[in-house]
């Protein structure tokens, strides 16, 4: 029996971290890119919603921290 599918839009910058987190939590998912808009969507089963929410928040946090570190080092370099 198949569960209901859920979809969330994901920015390109967050996609790599989100994939890592979902694999770590054992969530089965699929990523589709809209060729017209270039935006990504992640599809997953509704039963995984709580795990997905946790993984998404964790991935977003990691993605933001990486961006902050990158900005910090660019400022230090340019000086």
């Amino acid at each position: 029996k198949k569960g209901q599918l859920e979809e969330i839009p994901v920015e390109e910058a967050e996609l790599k971290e989100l994939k890592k987190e979902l694999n770590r939590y054992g969530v089965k998912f699929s990523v589709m890119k809209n060729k017209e808009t270039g935006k990504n969507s992640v599809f997953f089963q509704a039963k995984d919603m709580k795990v997905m929410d946790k993984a998404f928040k964790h991935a977003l946090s990691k993605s933001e921290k990486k961006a902050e570190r990158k900005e910090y080092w660019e400022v230090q370099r340019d000086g």
Side-chain angles (χ1 to χ4, degrees):
K1 180 181 169 191
K2 301 261 182 192
Q4 182 179 347
L5 284 180
E6 297 288 333
E7 171 191 3
I8 58 167
V10 179
E11 297 293 325
E12 190 71 37
E14 299 153 358
L15 191 57
K16 185 177 178 182
E17 285 298 330
L18 183 59
K19 284 181 179 180
K20 281 185 202 175
E21 290 298 312
L22 294 178
N23 284 325
R24 193 169 78 134
Y25 286 109
V27 175
K28 292 181 181 175
F29 65 96
S30 179
V31 178
M32 295 193 70
K33 187 169 192 163
N34 184 323
K35 291 181 180 176
E36 293 175 12
T37 63
K39 298 195 181 223
N40 297 301
S41 291
V42 175
F43 293 88
F44 58 96
Q45 289 187 344
K47 69 179 178 69
D48 292 326
M49 193 64 174
K50 286 184 180 175
V51 176
M52 181 70 188
D53 188 47
K54 185 175 181 179
F56 190 70
K57 286 178 181 173
H58 197 250
L60 200 57
S61 171
K62 285 179 116 178
S63 179
E64 287 172 355
K65 285 179 185 173
K66 283 184 178 180
E68 287 172 8
R69 282 196 303 257
K70 184 178 178 185
E71 286 176 23
Y72 172 81
W73 289 112
E74 287 174 353
V75 168
Q76 295 299 316
R77 184 189 67 210
D78 296 341

